[in-house]
Amino acid sequence: MNSSPQHLVQADLVAVLAAVTAGEPRVLTTQGGLTLPAGPFSPDHRSLQASLRAWVESQTHHPLGYVEQLYTFPDRDRSDALGMRAISISYLGLTREEDESGAPAQDGWQDWYRYFPWEDWRTGECALVADEVIPRLRAWSKLADDRAQRSARWQRVAVMFGLEDNAWNEELVLQRYELLFEAGLVAESARGRSARKKPSVDWLPGEAMGHDHRRILATGMARLRAKIKYRPVVFELMPPEFSLLQLQQTVEALAGRGLHKQNFRRQMEQQALVEETGQVALGTAGRPAKLYRFRRNVILERAMSGNKLPLARS
């Protein structure tokens, strides 16, 4: 059996751990925000997911709620450094940043729009997209070798960023990042190239991450943005009791889009996903808000295809 280094494989589990705190989407990071939590698969556990839960919960001291596998990524940076094939098996996990006492449970939580500022459209069209992203992508499109390639590049830009007859699709997080990577507009695109590294001033705003972790984060964001439309996973991020405004702000934080308040409340009533607790929020300005809780038995009452949190546009 050939045991040369190029035939060896190292597999790491990488976790996109999402939370929403005070209406802001958060992701747990390590190394000062440079990487996502990662650890090796332990043969002592019966499955990859069991291994992931064990080391994540030991690090965060908080049980994970919803967990699903995202994708397996070949990590070229680490493969080169280690002299072997390195892969990252990524997972999306939902948890809460605060522990039961309301105190932060773990250092390292970051706003995920720190890494993807062009994805935040909660207050309308993102100024960064109009002012910097589109002009740079337009210039990149014009650099193609011929008219057909220039047209193909611009068509991709239009689809990804909601131009011309295309609507902004909040789920295309990964595709937008990969387009910006191809255009050389994010710092990670300079890695592994023989050409001299471009100065950071040429890169778009948005923090870079080590290895392929920003790409993995983009995958997790896209998956969660899609998932909240047809499964009530958002309630994994909520406290036991919450106001409808808190719930709406949580959905908006994840989706990066604003929701119409009355439409959102109407959907909650129609889907019967929540019920009143009989309590109100204290210490808030204005009229006290009613508190609700998630009706977990709704999962057993009817097929999940009937439970939706659509992103009603304002």
Side-chain angles (χ1 to χ4, degrees):
M1 179 176 178
N2 191 339
S3 59
S4 59
Q6 61 265 29
H7 294 281
L8 299 178
V9 175
Q10 173 172 313
D12 280 340
L13 306 182
V14 182
V16 178
L17 301 182
V20 176
T21 304
E24 296 300 327
R26 309 277 281 170
V27 62
L28 185 60
T29 67
T30 56
Q31 298 188 55
L34 181 63
T35 57
L36 297 169
F41 168 64
S42 172
D44 297 333
H45 295 111
R46 67 183 184 279
S47 67
L48 290 170
Q49 190 174 122
S51 183
L52 176 91
R53 284 183 179 274
W55 64 258
V56 166
E57 291 176 6
S58 69
Q59 289 184 18
T60 64
H61 308 293
H62 197 292
L64 288 178
Y66 181 86
V67 175
E68 69 169 271
Q69 187 171 342
L70 285 172
Y71 200 71
T72 299
F73 295 87
D75 191 337
R76 295 185 181 88
D77 293 342
R78 294 176 57 252
S79 296
D80 293 341
L82 295 171
M84 65 177 66
R85 183 76 171 182
I87 62 173
S88 300
I89 304 171
S90 59
Y91 281 81
L92 170 66
L94 305 184
T95 184
R96 296 186 61 207
E97 181 177 355
E98 300 173 341
D99 61 22
E100 294 180 355
S101 68
Q106 175 83 11
D107 293 334
W109 287 96
Q110 303 288 343
D111 187 320
W112 74 20
Y113 293 125
R114 169 184 176 181
Y115 305 99
F116 296 93
W118 54 84
E119 293 292 337
D120 189 0
W121 287 54
R122 284 176 290 178
T123 59
E125 182 179 358
C126 178
L128 174 64
V129 171
D131 297 342
E132 295 193 49
V133 176
I134 299 306
R136 295 191 189 189
L137 287 176
R138 189 185 300 275
W140 170 74
S141 299
K142 293 179 179 179
L143 292 175
D145 293 335
D146 55 50
R147 179 179 297 178
Q149 290 184 6
R150 289 192 291 271
S151 176
R153 281 187 177 186
W154 182 247
Q155 185 177 19
R156 289 174 61 200
V157 173
V159 171
M160 293 301 104
F161 287 91
L163 303 177
E164 299 176 355
D165 295 329
N166 302 284
W168 173 266
N169 185 341
E170 58 277 344
E171 295 178 28
L172 301 180
V173 186
L174 178 60
Q175 291 91 329
R176 281 189 285 270
Y177 173 72
E178 291 183 332
L179 178 61
L180 295 173
F181 183 101
E182 181 181 342
L185 298 179
V186 293
E188 292 92 335
S189 62
R191 297 174 184 166
R193 294 185 177 180
S194 58
R196 186 176 60 183
K197 187 175 180 180
K198 296 166 58 177
S200 59
V201 69
D202 289 340
W203 297 323
L204 288 171
E207 293 291 328
M209 301 189 82
H211 311 308
D212 52 359
H213 286 198
R214 190 153 54 149
R215 186 181 180 212
I216 294 174
L217 176 55
T219 305
M221 290 171 62
R223 180 72 61 84
L224 189 50
R225 284 181 168 188
K227 189 75 69 174
I228 60 176
K229 296 180 182 178
Y230 63 91
R231 289 198 59 183
V233 295
V234 67
F235 293 102
E236 299 284 353
L237 304 172
M238 303 302 297
E241 297 183 353
F242 50 84
S243 69
L244 290 184
L245 178 59
Q246 288 176 311
L247 179 59
Q248 179 178 335
Q249 290 174 338
T250 298
V251 176
E252 291 175 333
L254 299 174
R257 295 295 298 263
L259 305 181
H260 188 281
K261 180 178 179 180
Q262 296 305 320
N263 287 349
F264 180 81
R265 290 172 179 255
R266 189 177 302 114
Q267 288 291 337
M268 290 299 97
E269 294 175 358
Q270 293 174 351
Q271 298 296 330
L273 293 171
V274 298
E275 62 186 1
E276 294 185 20
T277 66
Q279 305 297 316
V280 296
L282 301 177
T284 59
R287 182 179 179 181
K290 294 181 180 179
L291 293 178
Y292 294 78
R293 57 175 165 254
F294 175 47
R295 294 182 61 240
R296 292 194 176 274
N297 59 346
V298 77
I299 299 176
L300 302 177
E301 290 177 358
R302 62 186 188 274
M304 292 310 303
S305 59
N307 298 328
K308 297 183 179 180
L309 288 176
L311 299 182
R313 305 293 191 256
S314 57

